[in-house]
Amino acid sequence: MTGPPASVAPSDRSTAGVAIPPGRRLAGPAVSIVAVAIVFALLDVSGQAFWQGLVINLAIFTILVVALNLSSGFTGVFSLGHIGFMALCSYTSAILTLPLREKGDYLPNLPDWLAGVHLDNQLGPIPVGFLVATLIAGALVAVLAWLVGRVLMRLSGHFVAVATLGFLVIVRVVLFNADSFTRGSRTFSNVAPYTNLWWAGAWALVAVYVVWRLKRSPYGREMLAQREDRVAAQSVGIRVMEPRLLAFVVGAFFSAVAGALYAHFITSFSPTVFYFDLTFRVITMLVIGGMGSVSGSIIGAAAITVLAEGLRRIEDTTLLYGMSQIILAVIFLFIITFRREGLLGQREVPLDRLFAPGWRQRLPWARSGDPPADQSR
């Protein structure tokens, strides 16, 4: 005998047991992408440098948070070293895209095999050399992440957090001492400003889509299962090492892409940029949005980016420098104390159900009953 059917939440009654056509599933994400593209186009023609820079920063941080969420939120293996991958790709892409004439004057001690490489080619208005440099640097970082992850992903808990922090420190020391490549502690400048709204937005879209697809793949289910209980997952045959390593490598690749975008946006940087301050900001975005939610990563990145910019302006007015870091730290402590799952936890914004049958029943007033009657009669 079978028991009574399981109860369905009011918000899901309208679509329970109803197959949503693929066209309607794609309609919600498609409308969202078109809306964002329109906003980008309006910003692009407006010439408002401040708002353009704010949106570019938001896109870059979205990539970083989504990448960290994949390796830390989905697997439970908390990494503090992803900013190190970002730093490596920033310098690598900057070196690769330096024009040949400037490279000889700016980095005279480069080895011959690298001194002759200059990926500053353009195809009309499109800097294809920048794209090639980003992909090369991202691939090299992904290989390094695979080598590092083969060791670190066998650890769990605070052990892996300390180990990845050690990796970040090693990267910082290497960048300071590789003077022939990075100019050491001096500022690395003369980087071409290739990053714009469309480059940052396109890469953010790719990162969000790839991580979202991974979450719903068999690898993603293995990541979430072993995060909840590794021993129980292993006892039923769920793999642990492979999904962890995949998440670590893919997260490192997108962190590297964010580094290339960041380097060609700010155009001048030093190893001190890629350290604890940036690490803490990305972790705050991740925790506030929700570890395990791609939508939460976007919301957390947007909230902290806007809040940090507002606090920076207040600092400039009141001369209370350092206030923004204190307030962000207080918010971080409040979240991990009273709402550890963040704003969304593991939930996602259901864009694929935006145009599904019965969408009106998922509106706020429908949770307690029928929609309000038509008052025009």
Side-chain angles (χ1 to χ4, degrees), residues 46-273:
S46 69
Q48 297 290 328
F50 167 77
W51 291 107
Q52 290 178 1
L54 185 66
V55 173
I56 291 172
N57 265 314
L58 172 58
I60 293 173
F61 276 110
T62 296
I63 299 172
L64 284 171
V65 180
V66 167
L68 183 61
N69 204 352
L70 175 62
S71 62
S72 298
F74 294 177
T75 66
V77 182
F78 198 76
S79 172
L80 295 173
H82 269 59
I83 300 301
F85 297 123
M86 179 187 182
L88 291 173
C89 191
S90 296
Y91 277 96
T92 304
S93 63
I95 293 171
L96 291 175
T97 55
L98 275 178
L100 192 60
R101 181 176 57 256
E102 296 181 14
K103 186 176 291 186
D105 298 333
Y106 196 62
L107 298 172
N109 297 321
L110 280 177
D112 295 337
W113 60 270
L114 186 57
V117 178
H118 58 104
L119 297 176
D120 55 338
N121 319 86
Q122 294 201 21
L123 183 62
I126 304 175
V128 292
F130 172 47
L131 175 61
V132 174
T134 300
L135 294 175
I136 291 175
L140 293 174
V141 167
V143 172
L144 176 62
W146 183 82
L147 295 173
V148 173
R150 295 290 298 177
V151 178
L152 298 187
M153 292 302 101
R154 300 180 186 276
L155 306 174
S156 296
H158 56 276
F159 298 104
V160 70
V162 173
T164 53
L165 179 60
F167 171 77
L168 176 61
V169 174
I170 290 172
V171 169
R172 175 183 167 89
V173 172
V174 169
L175 293 178
F176 269 120
N177 289 278
D179 191 74
S180 300
F181 296 88
T182 66
R183 294 174 53 86
S185 59
R186 294 173 292 173
T187 300
F188 194 108
S189 55
N190 295 343
V191 182
Y194 289 133
T195 302
N196 57 23
L197 282 168
W198 301 107
W199 278 109
W203 273 114
L205 177 62
V206 171
V208 168
Y209 177 75
V210 170
V211 174
W212 181 81
R213 291 293 298 175
L214 274 175
K215 181 180 181 181
R216 282 160 174 75
S217 70
Y219 273 103
R221 289 190 287 271
E222 289 177 336
M223 292 175 195
L224 295 172
Q226 60 88 29
R227 184 190 74 169
E228 298 302 325
D229 194 323
R230 186 182 64 173
V231 176
Q234 287 178 313
S235 67
V236 295
I238 294 177
R239 298 173 298 177
V240 172
M241 182 63 180
E242 289 81 358
R244 281 186 176 185
L245 187 59
L246 176 66
F248 190 72
V249 172
V250 175
F253 174 80
F254 282 118
S255 296
V257 169
L261 293 171
Y262 193 66
H264 290 84
F265 174 58
I266 62 175
T267 69
S268 298
F269 50 88
S270 67
T272 56
V273 173

Side-chain angles (χ1 to χ4, degrees), residues 19-51:
I20 303 175
R24 291 195 177 186
R25 280 190 176 276
L26 294 175
V31 168
S32 302
I33 293 172
V34 170
V36 172
I38 292 173
V39 172
F40 275 41
L42 293 176
L43 278 175
D44 197 17
V45 300
S46 69
Q48 297 290 328
F50 167 77
W51 291 107

